Amino acid sequence: IEIIKANEHEEFLNYFPEYRRIFDEIQTGIDQFSERIDQCFQSLHPERFETRKMLAEAVTATECPACLFALIDGKAATAKAWIMSRPPKKILELIEILEQYNLHLADTPEM
């Protein structure tokens, strides 16, 4: 994940092509997650809610309320920016890859 965050994955894969499949799956997972959340945000129209409480009720029923609140509050420009700011383990959990590969990462503090 850190290699992807640093945009160094292509160089890494030149030396270790055997990891391409997992890198591609992680990148696809990040892209698909980001697209779903960005679409949800665009369809949400926060301005149509009369109160923050009403907005919160709608947001908490979505796939990733934390990301949507970050977008609504201007703490993240895009869903991809938000997800890439998470710890590696959290990213893998969000894109549902952690269990698929039985990856074991050291617990890192959640942001």
Side-chain angles (χ1 to χ4, degrees):
I1 295 294
E2 294 298 338
I3 294 170
I4 291 172
K5 284 182 171 186
N7 203 22
E8 298 288 335
H9 54 285
E10 290 302 327
E11 183 176 345
F12 175 86
L13 292 171
N14 284 333
Y15 295 101
F16 303 101
E18 62 270 21
Y19 292 105
R20 178 160 298 280
R21 191 178 107 244
I22 191 167
F23 270 83
D24 289 347
E25 287 184 30
I26 290 170
Q27 189 64 58
T28 298
I30 290 168
D31 292 343
Q32 289 175 347
F33 175 88
S34 300
E35 288 172 21
R36 286 193 313 272
I37 300 302
D38 282 333
Q39 288 174 356
C40 182
F41 176 65
Q42 291 171 1
S43 67
L44 190 61
H45 302 290
E47 69 279 356
R48 73 183 174 134
F49 294 92
E50 293 180 27
T51 66
R52 177 78 176 191
K53 182 178 179 180
M54 292 172 66
L55 174 62
E57 288 173 1
V59 170
T60 55
T62 64
E63 178 180 1
C64 190
C67 183
L68 283 172
F69 279 120
L71 293 169
I72 291 165
D73 295 338
K75 294 179 181 176
T78 64
K80 188 166 192 170
W82 181 85
I83 193 173
M84 296 306 279
S85 72
R86 306 292 95 192
K89 183 177 180 181
K90 186 64 175 176
I91 293 172
L92 294 173
E93 288 170 357
L94 288 167
I95 63 173
E96 300 176 349
I97 288 199
L98 194 61
E99 295 82 18
Q100 178 180 345
Y101 287 97
N102 196 23
L103 298 173
H104 300 283
L105 300 176
D107 285 330
T108 55
E110 297 297 323
M111 297 182 142

